[in-house]
Amino acid sequence: MPSLPPEQRSPQDFLPEKYPILTFPEEDWQTFCQNCQNLELPDPNPFRKTFEALYSHLVGVNEWLNLTRLTTPADYLKFSLLDSLTLLPVLESLCEEHSAIVDLGSGGGYPGLPLMTCMTTQDFTLIDARQKKVDFLNASIPIIPRTGKGAAASFRGRDVGRARPDLQHHAEVVTARAVGKGVELLPDAYELLAQGGVFVLMKGQSWPQEEGPLFTEACPAFGFDVVEDTELSLVPGDPIRHIILAVKKGRQDLRKMRRYC
């Protein structure tokens, strides 16, 4: 394929069939399966071909569009797939068939694409401010066999009322992984979530010291209450990760919000 900058690429360059299918080395896949079992996640074997197709597409497009640094099978399986799937128990407890889920700042598609693979009846919208990444996501979604709706769109969450009024105050769940500081995402989550909806935030080991206190303090001003902070490690000995749940319970207090914006 000619070496062209992303802005000169055609829509055809996003198509999955443009790229060879890669398979996971058996040792890496079995390690991934064992890690899933250790975390009490569903058996990933029924989804292996879909995960390999998603990986192949990601690696192919990543050659000319910066989507991820995690391109080896072992890194992808652990830090993209396994990390994303740790949200499954949380989302399955919060969602029913056709529940609306928004992945905020999807980028290369994680956690949104793996969650869509395993949660086949929910309606997913993956949003990112960068149109090229949305083009990639919209080419990836048809890879996944599912009955629920799935699409990607380009806008910032707080601009949903202008960009996609049908999605404003509509989602039961909003997820965010590796997007930005938690407190800075509260205005986006507020505009996307229905009343009683849950903001699910994935953070690293520094959360309790660097971001958590300010996030918890700011939540009431943005109409949220923090209800849970779950700690886990992807494998024994790894750094602690956090899954934070904040429920949209009230209205925003514009005067108090100014302290955090």
Side-chain angles (χ1 to χ4, degrees), residues 5-245:
E7 60 272 14
Q8 293 183 24
R9 293 281 177 166
S10 75
Q12 297 297 311
D13 291 328
F14 288 99
L15 296 177
E17 54 266 33
K18 295 274 290 187
Y19 305 99
I21 292 293
L22 307 174
T23 57
F24 299 130
E26 193 61 28
E27 182 178 355
D28 292 338
W29 178 256
Q30 293 305 321
T31 298
F32 169 68
C33 290
Q34 184 61 56
N35 290 335
C36 287
Q37 183 177 337
N38 294 342
L39 290 169
E40 299 183 348
L41 300 175
D43 177 14
N45 279 297
F47 308 108
R48 180 170 181 170
K49 287 187 177 180
T50 300
F51 287 147
E52 287 178 333
L54 290 171
Y55 172 66
S56 303
H57 186 220
L58 176 73
V59 170
V61 176
N62 197 64
E63 292 179 357
W64 54 268
L65 179 65
N66 182 25
L67 296 168
T68 182
R69 292 175 294 175
L70 304 172
T71 56
T72 69
D75 282 349
Y76 174 82
L77 286 165
K78 180 180 179 181
F79 297 111
S80 293
L81 274 192
L82 184 66
D83 187 50
S84 297
L85 294 179
T86 59
L87 289 189
L88 265 181
V90 175
L91 266 63
E92 288 177 339
S93 71
L94 296 172
C95 297
E96 300 177 350
E97 186 173 338
H98 296 301
S99 288
I101 302 170
V102 174
D103 187 28
L104 180 63
S106 292
Y110 299 85
L113 294 176
L115 294 172
M116 291 179 71
T117 301
C118 298
M119 300 179 69
T120 60
T121 64
Q122 287 73 26
D123 297 335
F124 278 81
T125 304
L126 314 185
I127 67 173
D128 197 277
R130 293 150 293 189
Q131 183 60 53
K132 286 293 182 184
K133 293 192 175 182
V134 168
D135 293 339
F136 163 77
L137 293 169
N138 276 322
S140 298
I141 289 170
I143 292 172
I144 304 170
R146 57 194 326 276
T147 58
K149 296 177 182 177
S154 178
F155 60 90
R156 297 177 71 206
R158 65 195 64 187
D159 298 328
V160 63
R162 174 183 56 80
R164 286 288 303 274
D166 58 307
L167 296 177
Q168 188 175 26
H169 305 310
H170 178 66
E172 279 93 341
V173 174
V174 168
T175 60
R177 172 183 181 263
V179 183
K181 292 183 178 180
V183 69
E184 296 172 354
L185 301 175
L186 286 170
D188 303 282
Y190 182 88
E191 292 299 321
L192 291 163
L193 283 166
Q195 199 72 1
V198 183
F199 183 27
V200 181
L201 188 62
M202 304 180 77
K203 285 291 179 178
Q205 63 177 337
S206 63
W207 171 258
Q209 295 78 34
E210 296 183 3
E211 289 191 57
L214 182 62
F215 182 83
T216 301
E217 175 190 308
C219 269
F222 291 88
F224 287 88
D225 286 346
V226 177
V227 296
E228 190 173 321
D229 181 350
T230 300
E231 298 182 356
L232 59 88
S233 294
L234 294 182
V235 300
D238 266 18
I240 293 292
R241 295 172 183 242
H242 294 259
I243 299 175
I244 302 98
L245 274 59

